[in-house]
């Protein structure tokens, strides 16, 4: 029987069985809802940056209202005014969230929590302007002259970002990608782990291994869950993008499509690397309860890789960032960052891909051996050292003998 | 024909299989016997490459065993287990396809077995929704989904009720009659004696008896005499070559040499009592087993 076909059957079973399980479907729907909500909710809750409600209480100059509206318009903000007879009523409205700020006696601003800096500037500016107008009138300065004197000077804002030559959009894209890749690799790696442990704990694995070599089983399982994971991540991303487009809330960084393509490549590579390790170590555990203790060290490594890659975003051009983005353990998280930051040369990702593929190949061979030794071992939990010694000694005998079980009889 | 030739396996310092050689022939049921921990499971696992031998070989039809050959083998491990949450029919079809058979052929085989074992109505239930007995049946079908030429079953009778045991025996005999090679381990010696043509006895990793059951029994130099009588217990001490294996009121079982004079036994009984029945026979399988394993 063709090994590729067996691995394909294993992968197809993983997709089918997991895809139809209620737990999977429920969690998938929740993920989609969470993605849509996370993107759309801020826009829906906020009445929009364009509108602010300002309450007035106590005496205020007649010109204050129009001045406030004019100041608001200068920064694309519509100011809606509410008058309150008592300060207490105004404060209650602030506490209830009916108004954003209460202006008392045209001198004091009362906020529910911290001041909204932009709104503070608008209101303060209006108060100052009215005061200047009153004093100018008292000093006999003509209103038109005054308008010329206090005409606003246009000021523009530029977002420099953390790194020279990079837009903050690049940084945002790099941050989001690191988080999503880390989350996806841990989630689907854990799924491979639980699948392997479940097969071992239920003893299904002996029936399977009587029909196929362990490496085909492991490869098929990793591939099946990977396909499922990729589909899920893409679906969530599409929902998030659609939600963002519909409500027009979050400023989606203008990410180059090549960056997205590389993100997919690095999900596949990073997942393959870590899932192989998770699956191999899962074979050491005899019960579901042991699973997390055998994989603890890998989880720590993955978290460290995440932290290091995160740190590398800010210094994408340094030599250590380049090395981190080449090193197979950190490359799946660090290289997509550097690509998003535009720090990678055209051959940088190719080097990292080659190194990571090599590491995966080594892990598959070693992992397959350890898996074969450990998976039929029941009872107490195997240590990696024991399984490794077994695998190495068996590998040595296997190398010394012909591969098949014996010479054919004449 | 399945053939183990000098199969040797050590686990650390412990020898699990010590130069084991035996055959299981097509068209016959071969019972694989031995005390717990003697090496039965390890020997069976070698057939499927689940245990890599340190020395020796396993051959099928005279040749080496590769993936192609294993696709025509069926195996029921000692520790039963299938995916608990997978539907019965889906699971069996999956296992059959892993053997390399096309889907249609596997589906036909699976449906026929589900039907025959009374599980057709449960085909789309999850395995863990089935009773213990029905799960055992599904496990048996899992070993049969590829219509195997060689069937290896590790303790297939363990945990079965008497009715299930009888139908399992009939089924194995039927498969052997259809030409399959059937090797199974068991501690139920009476049952093995009833249904097996061949037996293999393993003790502490060594094969101590192997071959045709009738020939093995005939080859033992001792014979057993079972007598029933009415009257006083005979004085067996007058027969120095006879050993009393078991006795109770009105009956006795004696071990004698193959060429001993039975007339003297009859005479000793006649002196004290009236002989009701007399049987002269080779050892039962359990006697053969105890003798082989104790040696």
């Amino acid at each position: 029987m063709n090994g590729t076909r067996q691995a394909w059957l294993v992968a197809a079973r993983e997709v089918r069985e997991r895809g139809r399980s209620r737990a999977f479907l429920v969690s998938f729907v929740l993920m989609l809802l969470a993605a849509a909500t996370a993107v759309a909710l801020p826009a829906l809750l906020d009445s929009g940056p364009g509108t602010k409600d300002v309450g007035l209480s106590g005496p205020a100059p007649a010109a204050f209202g129009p001045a406030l509206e004019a100041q608001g318009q200068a920064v694309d903000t519509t100011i809606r005014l509410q008058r309150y007879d008592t300060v207490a009523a105004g404060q209650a409205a602030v506490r209830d969230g009916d108004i954003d700020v209460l202006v008392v006696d045209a001198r004091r601003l009362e906020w529910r929590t911290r001041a909204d800096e932009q709104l503070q500037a608008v209101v303060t500016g209006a108060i100052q302007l009215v005061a200047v107008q009153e004093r100018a009138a008292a000093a006999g300065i003509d209103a038109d002259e005054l308008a010329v004197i206090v005409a606003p000077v246009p000021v523009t804002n530029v977002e420099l970002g953390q790194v020279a030559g990079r837009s903050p959009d690049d940084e945002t894209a790099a941050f989001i990608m690191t988080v999503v890749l880390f989350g996806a690799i841990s989630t689907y790696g854990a799924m491979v782990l639980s699948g392997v442990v479940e097969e071992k704990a239920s003893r299904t694995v002996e029936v399977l291994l009587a029909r196929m070599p362990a490496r085909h089983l492991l490869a098929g399982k990793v591939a099946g869950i990977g396909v499922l994971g990729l589909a899920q991540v893409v679906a969530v991303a599409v929902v998030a993008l659609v939600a963002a487009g519909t409500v027009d809330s979050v400023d989606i960084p203008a990410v180059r499509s090549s960056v997205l393509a590389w993100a997919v490549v690095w999900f596949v590579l990073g997942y393959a690397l870590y899932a192989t390790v998770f699956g191999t170590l899962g074979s050491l555990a005899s019960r579901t309860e042991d699973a997390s203790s055998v994989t603890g060290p890998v989880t720590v490594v993955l978290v460290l890789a995440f932290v290091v890659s995160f740190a590398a975003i800010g210094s994408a051009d340094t030599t250590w960032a380049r090395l981190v983005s080449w090193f197979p353990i950190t490359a799946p998280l660090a290289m997509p960052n550097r690509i998003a930051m535009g720090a990678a040369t055209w051959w940088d990702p190719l080097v990292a891909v080659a190194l990571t593929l090599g590491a995966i190949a080594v892990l598959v061979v070693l992992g397959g051996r350890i898996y074969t030794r450990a998976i039929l071992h029941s009872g107490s939990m195997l240590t990696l050292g024991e399984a490794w010694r077994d695998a190495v000694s068996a590998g040595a005998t296997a190398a010394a003998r012909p591969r098949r079980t014996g010479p054919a009889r004449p | 024909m399945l053939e183990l030739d000098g199969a040797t396996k050590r686990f650390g310092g412990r020898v699990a299989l010590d130069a084991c050689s035996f055959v299981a022939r097509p068209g016959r049921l071969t019972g694989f016997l031995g005390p717990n921990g003697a090496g039965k499971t390890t020997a069976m696992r070698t057939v499927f490459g689940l245990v890599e031998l340190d020395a020796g070989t396993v051959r099928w039809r005279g040749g080496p065993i590769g993936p192609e050959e294993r696709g025509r083998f069926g195996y029921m491990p000692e520790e039963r287990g299938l995916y608990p949450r997978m539907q019965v029919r889906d699971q069996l079809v999956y296992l059959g396809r892993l053997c390399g058979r096309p889907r249609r052929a596997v589906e036909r085989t699976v449906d026929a077995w589900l039907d025959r074992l009374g599980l057709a109505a449960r085909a789309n239930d999850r395995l863990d929704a089935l009773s213990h007995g029905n799960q055992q049946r599904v496990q048996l079908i899992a070993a049969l989904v590829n219509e195997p030429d060689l069937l290896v079953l590790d303790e297939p009778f363990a945990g079965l009720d008497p009715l299930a045991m009888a139908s399992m025996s009939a089924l194995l005999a039927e498969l052997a009659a259809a030409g399959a090679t059937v090797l199974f381990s068991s501690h139920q010696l009476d049952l093995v004696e009833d249904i097996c043509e061949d037996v293999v006895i393993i003790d502490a990793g060594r094969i101590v008896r192997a071959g045709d059951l009738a020939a093995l029994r005939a080859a033992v130099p001792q014979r057993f005499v079972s007598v029933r009588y009415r009257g006083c217990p005979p004085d067996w001490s007058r027969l120095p070559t006879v050993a009393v294996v078991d006795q109770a009121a009105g009956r006795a079982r004696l071990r004698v040499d193959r060429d001993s004079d039975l007339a003297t036994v009859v005479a000793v009984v006649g002196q004290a009592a009236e002989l009701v029945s007399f049987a002269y026979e080779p050892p039962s399988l359990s006697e053969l087993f105890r003798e082989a394993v104790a040696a």
Side-chain angles (χ1 to χ4, degrees):
Chain A
M1 168 103 192
N2 182 330
T4 316
R5 186 167 169 248
Q6 285 181 324
W8 164 251
L9 284 169
V10 173
R13 193 201 81 89
E14 291 292 339
V15 172
R16 201 176 53 243
E17 290 299 314
R18 281 171 196 281
R20 73 158 71 145
S21 96
R22 194 167 302 152
F24 177 86
L25 291 175
V26 167
S27 70
F28 190 27
V29 169
L30 287 179
M31 267 166 83
L32 293 178
L33 283 177
T37 313
V39 172
L41 202 59
L44 295 180
L45 282 185
D46 201 356
S47 49
T51 308
K52 295 287 179 193
D53 294 292
V54 176
L56 291 180
S57 157
F64 179 62
L68 194 53
E69 278 161 15
Q71 289 281 321
Q73 266 167 16
V75 290
D76 288 333
T77 303
T78 309
I79 302 291
R80 287 194 298 225
L81 278 174
Q82 293 283 337
R83 290 194 180 276
Y84 294 92
D85 294 336
T86 63
V87 176
Q91 286 173 337
V94 171
R95 291 204 179 90
D96 291 343
D98 292 340
I99 53 176
D100 297 292
V101 64
L102 177 69
V103 182
V104 183
D105 302 335
R107 283 294 178 273
R108 192 165 83 240
L109 307 188
E110 293 187 355
W111 307 88
R112 183 157 67 166
T113 54
R114 282 182 51 191
D116 171 341
E117 284 175 19
Q118 191 180 24
L119 184 55
Q120 186 185 2
V122 167
V123 178
T124 315
I127 291 171
Q128 303 291 352
L129 183 63
V130 172
V132 167
Q133 281 169 346
E134 280 174 353
R135 288 172 196 161
I141 298 173
D142 181 63
D144 291 336
E145 277 178 58
L146 179 69
V148 173
I149 294 169
V150 299
V153 178
V155 177
T156 51
N157 288 310
V158 175
E159 295 181 344
L160 278 181
Q162 206 175 339
V163 182
R166 305 283 147 63
S167 79
D169 283 352
D170 288 342
E171 263 173 59
T172 311
F175 277 123
I176 291 175
M177 245 162 36
T178 311
V179 172
V180 169
L181 281 170
F182 172 74
I185 289 172
S186 347
T187 306
Y188 300 107
M191 224 181 247
V192 170
L193 169 70
S194 74
V196 166
V197 175
E198 190 188 10
E199 251 165 28
K200 186 177 177 184
S202 69
R203 308 301 307 166
T204 316
V205 72
E206 192 165 356
V207 172
L208 299 173
L209 291 185
R211 293 154 207 259
M212 64 194 302
R215 59 182 188 282
H216 296 165
L217 179 58
L218 189 55
K221 185 175 281 294
V222 168
I225 294 174
V227 166
L228 207 60
L230 190 58
Q232 217 170 16
V233 169
V234 168
V236 169
V238 166
V239 164
L241 286 175
V242 168
T246 311
V247 300
D248 192 26
S249 70
V250 180
D251 192 17
I252 299 289
V255 182
R256 285 155 294 163
S257 52
S258 69
V259 170
L260 287 178
W262 273 115
V264 170
V265 169
W266 283 109
F267 167 71
V268 171
L269 290 175
Y271 162 78
L273 185 104
Y274 280 97
T276 306
V277 177
F278 275 122
T280 303
L281 293 180
S283 70
L284 300 176
S286 297
R287 298 168 307 148
T288 323
E289 296 91 308
D290 298 334
S292 57
S293 67
V294 289
T295 53
V298 193
T299 311
V300 170
V301 168
L302 184 55
V303 170
L304 285 179
F306 173 66
V307 171
V308 168
S309 307
F310 222 92
I313 296 175
S315 42
D317 297 304
T318 58
T319 310
W320 77 267
R322 167 169 277 178
L323 291 179
V324 160
S325 73
W326 282 2
F327 188 54
I329 286 175
T330 43
L333 296 174
M335 186 47 93
N337 289 342
R338 291 190 64 230
I339 296 171
M341 295 293 286
T345 59
W346 66 267
W347 50 268
D348 255 334
L350 301 184
V351 171
V353 166
L355 288 174
T356 308
L357 282 176
I360 291 170
V362 170
L363 283 172
V364 165
V365 172
L366 290 183
R369 272 206 202 141
I370 292 172
Y371 185 94
T372 312
R373 299 299 127 190
I375 199 78
L376 288 180
H377 177 99
S378 50
S380 65
M381 204 172 85
L382 269 182
T383 67
L384 185 57
E386 284 163 355
W388 173 249
R389 274 192 297 282
D390 261 9
V392 170
S393 67
T397 26
R401 290 182 308 115
R403 196 62 213 155
R404 298 187 109 195
T405 28
R409 268 198 166 169
Chain B
M1 184 164 77
L2 175 73
E3 203 177 343
L4 266 75
D5 185 0
T8 301
K9 177 68 188 177
R10 279 175 221 92
F11 289 115
R14 197 173 62 81
V15 179
L17 296 178
D18 187 359
C20 288
S21 299
F22 68 85
V23 298
R25 289 175 283 181
R28 298 168 74 98
L29 289 179
T30 304
F32 194 20
L33 315 174
N36 286 330
K40 299 188 294 291
T41 296
T42 306
M44 291 177 151
R45 282 179 170 177
T46 61
V47 176
F48 297 92
L50 296 170
V51 167
E52 229 171 319
L53 288 174
D54 296 324
T57 56
V58 184
R59 283 187 287 268
W60 172 245
R61 291 177 177 165
I65 297 173
E68 205 64 42
E69 287 74 23
R70 289 201 183 101
R72 307 286 303 148
F73 292 176
Y75 178 47
M76 188 197 233
E78 181 185 14
E79 291 187 76
R80 314 280 193 260
L82 293 171
Y83 292 111
R85 285 193 283 269
M86 201 169 167
Q87 290 178 12
V88 170
R89 186 173 183 272
D90 281 358
Q91 172 146 229
L92 291 169
V93 170
Y94 169 65
L95 292 172
R97 294 183 71 199
L98 280 182
C99 293
R101 297 185 76 208
R103 177 202 285 273
R104 288 279 155 71
V106 176
E107 284 175 344
R108 268 199 303 276
T109 310
V110 167
D111 289 338
W113 279 115
L114 286 174
D115 208 32
R116 169 158 175 192
L117 297 183
L119 291 169
R122 313 300 302 273
N124 295 324
D125 288 359
R126 278 167 38 151
L127 184 76
D128 58 6
L130 268 56
S131 68
H132 180 69
N134 279 340
Q135 290 193 22
Q136 292 266 29
R137 291 191 182 96
V138 175
Q139 192 88 38
L140 175 66
I141 301 176
L144 300 172
V145 282
N146 55 342
E147 298 180 355
D149 298 328
L150 169 67
L151 192 55
V152 176
L153 309 159
D154 204 346
E155 305 274 1
F157 294 98
L160 296 189
D161 66 37
L163 290 177
M165 256 190 221
S167 61
M168 173 74 87
S169 314
L171 197 146
L172 295 184
E174 184 188 314
L175 291 166
T181 303
V182 181
L183 174 72
F184 71 91
S185 65
S186 181
H187 290 301
Q188 262 109 6
L189 299 178
D190 294 344
L191 184 135
V192 170
E193 185 163 24
D194 282 348
I195 65 172
C196 287
E197 287 90 356
D198 293 335
V199 295
V200 175
I201 303 178
I202 186 170
D203 185 29
R206 304 181 70 94
I207 302 296
V208 288
R209 294 283 184 285
D212 181 88
L213 177 57
L216 287 174
R217 291 172 65 190
V220 175
Q222 283 82 39
R223 289 293 176 271
F224 288 82
V225 173
S226 292
V227 291
R228 287 184 170 276
Y229 54 85
R230 208 172 290 125
C232 301
D235 181 10
W236 301 118
S237 64
R238 291 170 58 193
L239 297 170
T241 58
V242 167
V244 181
V245 179
D246 182 30
Q247 71 176 328
R251 64 182 175 81
R253 186 163 171 89
L254 315 170
R255 185 168 64 231
V256 301
D257 287 335
R258 187 160 36 185
D259 47 2
S260 48
D261 183 2
L262 297 176
T264 61
V265 177
V266 175
V268 165
V269 176
Q271 278 163 6
E274 185 192 339
L275 186 64
V276 176
S277 71
F278 183 93
Y280 171 81
E281 57 201 8
S284 69
L285 178 58
S286 38
E287 283 158 344
L288 180 74
F289 178 82
R290 279 199 295 274
E291 184 254 352
V293 166

